[in-house]
Amino acid sequence: MKSDRFLWIEFLIFFFVIPLIIIPFNSTIGRFIIPVLLIVAFITYKFLKKDETFNKTALWKGHFTRKEFVRIILKFIPGLILLSLFTYFYLPDLFLAFPKQVPLFWMMVMIMYPLVSVYPQELIFRTFIFHRYRRIFPGKYSIIFASTFSFGLYHLFFSNWIAPVLSLGGGFLFACTFYRTRSTAAASLEHALWGDLIFTVGLGMYFYGGNI
């Protein structure tokens, strides 16, 4: 179908070509990551709100239940232990350096990161992708893979191996959560937990500014 070809072209441009094009310019445009993210998220939000085929409850709660909250926490606990141990043994100079050295800034990041970074990312890489491209990725695992791969690919921008590898793992978790719940809030909560953990244990420098 003609419309399916258009969706394929659109998806490849937005989530494959553009992330590869911007990689060489990470040191130049890194400081504009958050403003650009917020602008794109706002455009995405307006698009979804106007789409009559989109279930608006997905923008927030969806099917986010207490059972799903428990599931998110139970998945997070082993990750907390593993990432802490990894940083402690392999990058000991970074372990807990952020909260120890600049505790007030760390607290601000813990609060602001979920608001200005996590929710916009989940809106784009989960809510938008799952709705907009569901026709060209009709199966459960195909749409989860599309979301995961796109999320990881954009993190190549940070010019280190840690950011895209962790983002692929996290992206898979967040995509599975969104698939089950159709809730941007559920995926955002999970993303915020893992993101705040990364910044806390000392790996946040690999996700900062695109010039590491």
Side-chain angles (χ1 to χ4, degrees), residues 81-101:
I81 296 171
L82 290 174
L83 277 183
S84 297
L85 290 174
F86 170 81
T87 311
Y88 180 79
F89 285 108
Y90 291 98
L91 298 166
D93 292 340
L94 297 179
F95 185 65
L96 299 180
F98 190 19
K100 287 180 179 179
Q101 295 174 5

Side-chain angles (χ1 to χ4, degrees), residues 69-130:
F69 176 80
V70 173
R71 186 201 299 262
I72 289 172
I73 299 301
L74 291 177
K75 286 188 297 180
F76 174 69
I77 292 174
L80 185 155
I81 296 171
L82 290 174
L83 277 183
S84 297
L85 290 174
F86 170 81
T87 311
Y88 180 79
F89 285 108
Y90 291 98
L91 298 166
D93 292 340
L94 297 179
F95 185 65
L96 299 180
F98 190 19
K100 287 180 179 179
Q101 295 174 5
V102 281
L104 292 180
F105 185 47
W106 169 77
M107 290 179 63
M108 184 180 74
V109 170
M110 294 300 99
I111 297 170
M112 296 303 297
Y113 171 71
L115 299 177
V116 302
S117 182
V118 169
Y119 185 84
Q121 289 183 66
E122 291 308 307
L123 190 63
I124 297 166
F125 290 99
R126 251 58 68 181
T127 314
F128 176 75
I129 285 180
F130 271 73

Side-chain angles (χ1 to χ4, degrees), residues 100-180:
K100 287 180 179 179
Q101 295 174 5
V102 281
L104 292 180
F105 185 47
W106 169 77
M107 290 179 63
M108 184 180 74
V109 170
M110 294 300 99
I111 297 170
M112 296 303 297
Y113 171 71
L115 299 177
V116 302
S117 182
V118 169
Y119 185 84
Q121 289 183 66
E122 291 308 307
L123 190 63
I124 297 166
F125 290 99
R126 251 58 68 181
T127 314
F128 176 75
I129 285 180
F130 271 73
H131 175 71
R132 177 69 172 170
Y133 304 111
R134 64 192 186 281
R135 281 176 50 186
I136 60 175
F137 298 108
K140 171 183 177 180
Y141 292 106
S142 63
I143 192 66
I144 287 175
F145 173 78
S147 172
T148 302
F149 179 76
S150 303
F151 189 63
L153 193 63
Y154 262 96
H155 283 77
L156 289 174
F157 174 82
F158 293 101
S159 298
N160 62 76
W161 67 269
I162 290 180
V165 168
L166 291 182
S167 297
L168 282 172
F172 178 75
L173 290 178
F174 313 151
C176 288
T177 294
F178 186 84
Y179 183 87
R180 288 192 305 270

Side-chain angles (χ1 to χ4, degrees), residues 4-25:
D4 287 354
R5 289 198 298 269
F6 175 81
L7 286 175
W8 270 111
I9 294 170
E10 179 185 285
F11 177 82
L12 290 173
I13 290 174
F14 288 161
F15 297 101
F16 186 78
V17 175
I18 291 178
L20 293 180
I21 288 176
I22 65 176
I23 291 174
F25 306 101

